[in-house]
Amino acid sequence: IFTIIFELAAIFDSNGVYLYFLNNDPVLRVKVVSQVKEIFSKIEPAGFTPLVPVLEEVFRLPASNIGHDKQLLVLIASDGAPTDAQDNENIPELERVMREYHKIETTFVNFLVCNDDPFYVNYLCGWDQSMIHVDVTNDFVIERNLIRTHHP
């Protein structure tokens, strides 16, 4: 699925796509799918989930500023709760960053939920309802049921 999203993003930004990872260095200005496949083949998910400092860095990018020629789309794929450097959950800190640093005029955030634990799904879905330009993508069945709820 990520390669499809990347191909669409590359169409809209000829300068390339920035890929940020939680436990690896970012890879900037990626322009072709073959680069994405190579990058992902070399990186294994491991370690804690330091989403807060990475997201703060992303929210400070020039593209997030008002007046920049493009808007910023942030896709976050994670399988659980954010953690600090000691592996303690820090959901309140992530919420603070989302509310204080996320510039709703220029930045759209999508959480791709890779976990079916109701606790994690529920706090993210709550943000989907209460935060502007924040969306949560669940698995297909959940998404279909949500759509049917609103559009029978």
Side-chain angles (χ1 to χ4, degrees):
I1 191 167
F2 187 79
T3 56
I4 294 168
I5 294 169
F6 174 82
E7 287 177 350
L8 290 170
I11 290 170
F12 293 105
D13 194 342
S14 60
N15 294 321
V17 175
Y18 289 19
L19 301 175
Y20 281 79
F21 299 94
L22 299 180
N23 297 300
N24 291 286
D25 292 331
V27 182
L28 309 179
R29 302 193 192 304
V30 179
K31 296 182 180 182
V32 294
V33 164
S34 61
Q35 286 178 286
V36 173
K37 291 179 180 179
E38 181 181 341
I39 292 163
F40 276 92
S41 73
K42 295 177 181 177
I43 294 178
E44 287 291 323
F48 303 141
T49 310
L51 187 53
V52 168
V54 173
L55 201 52
E56 285 177 330
E57 182 178 352
V58 169
F59 286 160
R60 285 192 300 265
L61 290 172
S64 72
N65 293 329
I66 295 174
H68 193 269
D69 63 336
K70 296 181 178 125
Q71 293 184 331
L72 185 63
L73 173 61
V74 179
L75 301 174
I76 301 168
S78 181
D79 63 353
T83 58
D84 62 19
Q86 289 74 44
D87 199 27
N88 300 307
E89 280 190 3
N90 64 349
I91 295 169
E93 184 68 7
L94 177 60
E95 182 173 9
R96 183 190 66 76
V97 168
M98 289 296 299
R99 293 194 186 280
E100 292 179 15
Y101 290 89
H102 170 221
K103 298 173 185 139
I104 59 173
E105 302 87 358
T106 60
T107 307
F108 300 82
V109 179
N110 185 281
F111 287 91
L112 306 169
V113 179
C114 305
N115 186 331
D116 62 354
D117 184 308
F119 174 76
Y120 301 117
V121 172
N122 288 338
Y123 86 81
L124 290 172
C125 287
W127 293 355
D128 187 335
Q129 298 299 311
S130 67
M131 294 182 187
I132 298 170
H133 294 153
V134 173
D135 187 50
V136 175
T137 302
N138 297 300
D139 66 54
F140 172 77
V141 174
I142 293 172
E143 287 293 318
R144 181 190 65 203
N145 291 342
L146 284 171
I147 290 169
R148 287 182 176 167
T149 299
H150 297 288
H151 304 284

